Amino acid sequence: MNNLLRLVDCTPEEITQILDLADQLKYESRHGIAHTRLSGKSLGLIFHTASTRTRVSFETGIYQLGGQSQYLSADDMQIFNGEPVQDTARTLSRYLSGVVIRTRRQQELEAFARYSTVPIINGMTDLAHPCQVLADLMTIREKYGVLNGLNAAYVGSGNNVCNSFIVGALKMGMKVRVATPPGYGPDNIAKDFAKGNPDCEYSYSPTEAVKDADVVVTGSLLPPGEKASTVQMQKVFRGFTVSEHMLSAAKPDVLLLHSLPANRGFEITEETFEKHAEEIFEEAENRLHVQKAAMVLLMGRGAGRIEPMKKEKFE
Ligand code: CP
């Protein structure tokens, strides 16, 4: 694994390796054990859209690993003035040890990765949010000890989190039921990956999807950047608000995950959000641990580094 662009590109063994290392790093962090595995490394964060969790967890994570970060708002870079992605990628590869990118277009991320000689990590695109789903898988495994064989339901919009969840959960042997409104289903990348797999089912009924679920995953119904739910969106997602009534069809001790930020009263009721807040914020914390693990595995072995030139002898 040279980059973390989409979970489709990762093997189950690589996902397990990230989750195992994340558990270890969480333990070390909680017990005050120094874990400066990326001492001297520099991480760039190019963000085209707002972020709370992704930005802060990566910046804190690289610091705890002994490295440092540079937040690069796309508005302040020459990319904003039209400098091509490939030139930005080749330039930053000469300064940095890895780059996290949040952009609206997966294609742009992949173009950057093609020209970069240092690892690129997807900080969220229109199609995929692998770091979020790695944190989800870590949180699920913490509760149940295993992933294989668990029943998961995804309720909401077929967005980037939905796409990555389908892929990540199936790769780890989970059964996935996806409930989205008509016309709001997942992207073809996820559907193609799941094609023919009996462990993946689609439905327009959230109640059907959550039946006997061990874990229910939801998230914002609004596209990134959209400020408020419109009347049209309210109509489309009527019946998709995760509530105590909906969850009564799931297993009694169901784990509820929300990728945040949450729009209470829209995709989840206030009551249900607060009842599961401990799980949801554990999931948010786990962003830090899985991303630290991904950085160590990608950046800690000198991937893409330019070897020092052979010294001339001046005798
Ligand atoms: N879940 C998530 O990616 O949060 P941010 O948009 O705050 O980074």
Side-chain angles (χ1 to χ4, degrees):
M1 196 169 84
N2 296 320
N3 299 301
L4 178 55
L5 305 180
R6 308 176 309 171
L7 291 182
V8 168
D9 305 326
C10 303
T11 64
E13 292 73 28
E14 286 170 335
I15 294 173
T16 302
Q17 199 183 9
I18 293 173
L19 300 183
D20 289 349
L21 182 55
D23 286 345
Q24 172 71 24
L25 292 169
K26 185 170 183 175
Y27 177 87
E28 291 177 16
S29 187
R30 289 266 172 99
H31 290 81
I33 301 167
H35 46 281
T36 52
R37 289 168 171 80
L38 293 182
S39 174
K41 302 277 180 175
S42 196
L43 180 75
L45 296 115
I46 302 179
F47 278 56
H48 287 254
T49 57
S51 165
T52 297
R53 280 144 289 271
T54 307
R55 175 182 176 177
V56 178
S57 52
F58 268 112
E59 292 205 65
T60 303
I62 187 74
Y63 172 75
Q64 291 178 352
L65 289 166
Q68 63 106 35
S69 63
Q70 294 179 44
Y71 180 73
L72 306 164
S73 164
D75 293 352
D76 297 331
M77 297 180 72
Q78 298 294 8
I79 284 185
F80 185 72
N81 291 326
E83 184 170 20
V85 161
Q86 57 267 37
D87 295 355
T88 308
R90 285 180 288 191
T91 303
L92 293 185
S93 296
R94 303 290 177 131
Y95 307 141
L96 301 170
S97 322
V99 184
V100 177
I101 301 176
R102 170 170 285 200
T103 171
R104 290 199 176 92
R105 293 172 59 231
Q106 178 79 19
Q107 280 171 327
E108 197 169 47
L109 174 84
E110 296 192 1
F112 200 104
R114 272 197 298 282
Y115 285 91
S116 174
T117 56
V118 298
I120 302 301
I121 300 176
N122 183 344
M124 194 177 90
T125 65
D126 54 341
L127 292 187
H129 203 353
C131 293
Q132 180 63 53
V133 169
L134 288 168
D136 293 357
L137 296 175
M138 179 177 180
T139 313
I140 298 166
R141 202 174 74 156
E142 280 180 333
K143 175 169 171 122
Y144 293 107
V146 292
L147 295 171
N148 191 46
L150 293 178
N151 293 328
Y154 179 92
V155 176
S157 180
N159 56 18
N160 42 21
V161 175
C162 177
N163 295 332
S164 294
F165 188 76
I166 292 170
V167 174
L170 289 178
K171 281 198 181 222
M172 301 313 288
M174 297 170 75
K175 297 176 181 19
V176 188
R177 289 202 198 119
V178 181
T180 57
Y184 285 79
D187 185 79
N188 283 340
I189 291 181
K191 285 203 289 203
D192 289 347
F193 175 78
K195 205 171 182 173
N197 187 335
D199 286 342
C200 187
E201 293 173 21
Y202 303 99
S203 159
Y204 297 138
S205 162
T207 317
E208 254 176 47
V210 303
K211 194 168 181 304
D212 293 329
D214 298 294
V215 52
V216 172
V217 177
T218 190
S220 176
L221 299 177
L222 301 171
E226 195 154 312
K227 291 273 184 267
S229 54
T230 60
V231 174
Q232 170 62 14
M233 293 290 272
Q234 297 274 8
K235 250 163 85 177
V236 167
F237 286 100
R238 188 166 296 142
F240 281 77
T241 307
V242 177
S243 63
E244 291 311 288
H245 177 68
M246 188 192 288
L247 293 183
S248 64
K251 295 250 177 81
D253 192 25
V254 64
L255 174 68
L256 177 68
L257 300 179
H258 189 302
S259 49
L260 301 172
N263 303 287
R264 291 165 169 82
F266 190 25
E267 72 260 0
I268 190 165
T269 64
E270 171 84 31
E271 182 193 12
T272 300
F273 184 90
E274 291 304 333
K275 193 172 163 199
H276 293 270
E278 197 53 44
E279 297 158 12
I280 291 168
F281 291 104
E282 194 71 26
E283 172 194 14
E285 178 185 329
N286 287 341
R287 291 289 304 273
L288 173 68
H289 306 300
V290 292
Q291 290 163 195
K292 283 167 74 177
M295 285 191 282
V296 169
L297 294 169
L298 288 167
M299 293 160 56
R301 58 185 187 202
R305 270 172 51 201
I306 296 164
E307 291 303 318
M309 281 171 70
K310 230 175 159 184
K311 277 200 182 120
E312 299 285 346
K313 280 192 181 157
F314 296 103
E315 275 131 341

